[in-house]
Amino acid sequence: MLFMPLLAAQDNSLPPINRLVLDALNAMPRDGRYSTSPAANRALSAAISESGDRLLVHPEHVVPSYCSGATYLLFLKALSDLQNTGRLKLTPETISALRPAGQPDGTGIWGRWNANGPGTARLFHELGLGPNFSPLEAARPGDFLKIFWNDGIGVSEHGHSVIFLSHDPKAETITFWSSNMPGGYGTKTVPLSRIHRLLFSRLEHPENLNIPLLPRTDPYLSSLEHRSSSPGEMARQCGLDSAR
C-alpha cells in the first residue's frame, strides 16, 4: 500500500531529490511505537551496513523509533536509492562515517544530525548539501524540517525532526512525516499556532558528503547540550539570511 501523501511525488515541479525522498517513504515502517530507549538506538545502528562501496539500509528493522532517527534513516535510504540508480557515488570512508554508532551531539555526521538545535541544517551548511531556509511559503514536499515547539534553541528547546509534506493555508496547518509520539512512524497534522519556529533543509548536493573536510566535532552543536543559542547565532551557523 502506497503512502497516500506521496501523490505529491508525481509533481514534476518538485526538485528531483525531493521526489526521491517522498518515494523512499514507501520503504519506511508504519507505527512501531515511539521510544528514545537504547533498543531504538541499537535498531537504527543495526539497520545500516556497508558492502564495499555500497550503502545498505534496512528500514524495516528500525522499531521502536524516534524523530531524528526516523529522518536520518530516510536520509540514508534516499542516499542508498541514489547510489543504486547510479546517480551518486559514495566512498567507503563516507559510508562508514554515515553509520550511527552512538556519536555524541555535534560529533560526526550522525552526531550533528541528532544534536539539539539546528543539527540537520548545520550539517547541510557545513558540507554544502543544500540550502536552509525558514519561510514556509518556500517549502516543498520532501524538505527536511526542524520544528521548534518553543522559543528555545539548544538545551532549552522542545523540537521535532520531520519531513515536510504539505501546508494548508485555509486551515493554517502543516502535515509532516516522522516518528511521532506515541505511535511511531506516520504522518501528523498540527496547527501552525503550536509552532514557534521552522527551519527547512533541502537536499540538493548529496555528492558533497564525500568531501573529507568535516571536522570531527562541531563546537557549536556540541555546546548546545549545555546552553541555549539565539535565533541570530543559529542563522549565522546555518547560512540563513535572517532568523524567523
Side-chain angles (χ1 to χ4, degrees):
M1 184 174 67
L2 293 179
F3 213 89
M4 290 184 64
L6 300 196
L7 294 174
Q10 306 305 316
D11 181 354
N12 290 330
S13 69
L14 279 180
I17 296 181
N18 283 51
R19 289 199 299 272
L20 184 141
V21 168
L22 294 174
D23 286 339
L25 279 175
N26 282 309
M28 295 297 110
R30 307 291 177 86
D31 304 320
R33 192 169 60 85
Y34 182 98
S35 173
T36 57
S37 66
N41 286 318
R42 288 194 299 269
L44 178 62
S45 181
I48 313 303
S49 60
E50 55 195 283
S51 177
D53 61 350
R54 310 303 296 176
L55 172 64
L56 305 179
V57 182
H58 301 283
E60 65 275 12
H61 300 313
V62 187
V63 289
S65 60
Y66 51 92
C67 65
S68 56
T71 57
Y72 191 67
L73 184 66
L74 186 63
F75 172 68
L76 295 186
K77 182 65 171 66
L79 296 180
S80 178
D81 290 347
L82 284 167
Q83 190 179 44
N84 290 337
T85 54
R87 288 178 283 175
L88 176 66
K89 292 184 178 180
L90 296 173
T91 67
E93 294 78 12
T94 297
I95 294 172
S96 179
L98 285 167
R99 186 173 181 182
Q103 297 93 333
D105 281 14
T107 297
I109 295 174
W110 163 244
R112 285 165 164 81
W113 193 283
N114 190 46
N116 287 339
T120 298
R122 176 64 181 155
L123 175 68
F124 273 47
H125 181 59
E126 280 187 285
L127 289 180
L129 299 179
N132 299 312
F133 55 94
S134 289
L136 177 57
E137 58 269 21
R140 303 302 306 277
D143 286 337
F144 294 89
L145 168 61
K146 175 65 177 282
I147 293 174
F148 294 85
W149 301 119
N150 64 1
D151 283 333
I153 301 171
V155 69
S156 59
E157 77 178 45
H158 177 38
H160 200 24
S161 175
V162 308
I163 304 299
F164 175 76
L165 294 177
S166 64
H167 166 222
D168 185 336
K170 290 185 178 180
E172 296 187 335
T173 61
I174 66 167
T175 299
F176 53 80
W177 175 92
S178 187
S179 178
N180 304 302
M181 298 177 65
Y185 298 105
T187 62
K188 189 170 186 176
T189 299
V190 301
L192 287 171
S193 60
R194 285 188 55 195
I195 297 171
H196 285 238
R197 185 173 290 108
L198 299 167
L199 180 55
F200 296 93
S201 300
R202 181 171 298 158
L203 183 60
E204 292 184 346
H205 297 287
E207 68 277 5
N208 286 347
L209 281 163
N210 287 318
I211 299 175
L213 298 178
L214 192 66
R216 182 176 182 274
T217 298
D218 176 24
Y220 171 65
L221 291 179
S222 64
S223 74
L224 297 187
E225 280 196 284
H226 312 290
R227 72 174 183 93
S228 294
S229 181
S230 68
E233 181 184 34
M234 183 176 77
R236 292 189 296 273
Q237 292 288 342
C238 298
L240 300 174
D241 292 332
S242 61
R244 180 177 167 184

